[in-house]
Amino acid sequence: MRRELNSSLSQSWAIQRRIIFALVMREALTRYGRHNIGFLWLFVEPMIFTIGITIFWTFTKAAHGSDLPIVPFAITGYSSVLVWRNIPGRLSNAVLPNVGIMHHRNVRLIDIYFARLLLETSGVSMSFLFLTLAFWVVEWTALPEDVLQVLSGWLLLNWFGWSMGLLIGSLSEQTEIIEKIWHPATYFLFPLSGAAFIADALPPAFRDFVLWLPMVHCVEYIREGFFGSAFVAHYDLGYVVTCCCVMSVAGFLNVNYVANRVVLQ
Amino acid sequence: MIRFEQVSKRYPLGHGQRVVLQDVNLEIARGEKVGILGRNGSGKSTTIRLLSGAELPSAGRVVRDMTVSWPLAFGGAFQSSLTGRDNLRLICRIYGKDHEDCIDFVSDFSELGAYLDEPIRNYSSGMSARLAFAISMVIEFDCFLIDEVVAVGDSRFHQKCHEELFVKRIDRSFVIVSHDTEYIRHHCDIALVLRDSTFHRFSSIDEAIENYVSN
């Protein structure tokens, strides 16, 4: 009964789309403003990060344990980091700055989360796409061998980011400890996340260990799509899907729990 | 109609919880003007948020078959880093209205001039109140919630607010929470006193006010 009166499912959906659109526009405006390049920062910002890492890894000849070309290796790796690291970060402590807007009954916590998820995913995706095309134009990288596999791997990785985001975001409203832990955890997870290595180059025992992390499977799958038969990829999509399902259900349940108890004073 | 059915609202505290409303029933009919008197911290704003649906009861049900406004002239419902115009756009998008149809009214009523394109954090309290009220009048509701009397602004502004609310929209329902007894006496049909987590009912407004003042 939270939505407008007597609303059928399709009306609810229309309202929710309207609200999410309003929030996306609001968020783009409050975050990036209309100054200089405005909302282009949405993908220019992740592009700068990724370019920086790409240059750095190129010059240090990063020991990624293979002879894969370093530029696409860095783009696929670091773009992936932005997905699983930034999305939960953006959804942490999202209630406080939105207390005002939530006085409008149809604006619910999940809409605020969806708006931020959409912005974050589209920003990182555009950054990934534009960088690949730009480096392809100057012939620093080839295009993916299997675009469809890269795309599905990217979607899977974003699903993981979204479910992680809903979980971390809602938990951060319940206890401050979550944000304090999540932030340093991203630093420890970064070197383990598959961004800077391929699993095949790791000692088997260590490889089995890092393959507990769903994002490693995603990066491996994306890179296999990119480089094809140039290396042996290690992944188990069933494992990732299972993790994402469990985390999504837990995330939605907890978002609902938090939303029903949100205090707007 | 908006109806509270055995509604309780509790907020968790560091230790234990605070009971703001305990098993209360309340019905606001279409067109009815209801005043709620209560001391600071008695639960007036909580009642408003439960009526609007921004917060949910801890127990019981809130049933409504009217559209209900957000707390009127409540500046907190806006985004301080955005301009007045962008805030109007945001509210219009949320409620599915075209802001082009509303901008003239808002600009005219708020008398903000060029400030309409300034972030509202640069506004004086009077300017914020004028903008907030003007935007509140852009979306039509069956029931308007008024949390405290518009305390800021000059008499001319008060006169304009009165005209918009109590003349042009006199057919709507109003719920006014306040500790200003005169305001409630002038604008409401009935008054309730909110004390000890429950609503106290009286046969007349005068009785309600007398009870409120003497306790």
Side-chain angles (χ1 to χ4, degrees), chain A residues 237-256:
Chain A
L237 296 186
Y239 172 71
V240 182
V241 170
T242 309
C243 288
C244 288
C245 283
V246 171
M247 287 168 59
S248 297
V249 170
F252 275 115
L253 286 175
N254 203 45
V255 169
N256 196 40

Side-chain angles (χ1 to χ4, degrees), chain B residues 149-163:
Chain B
V149 187
V150 187
V152 288
D154 49 24
S155 57
R156 184 177 133 77
F157 172 60
H158 287 173
Q159 185 52 42
K160 281 166 62 174
C161 292
H162 181 86
E163 174 78 18

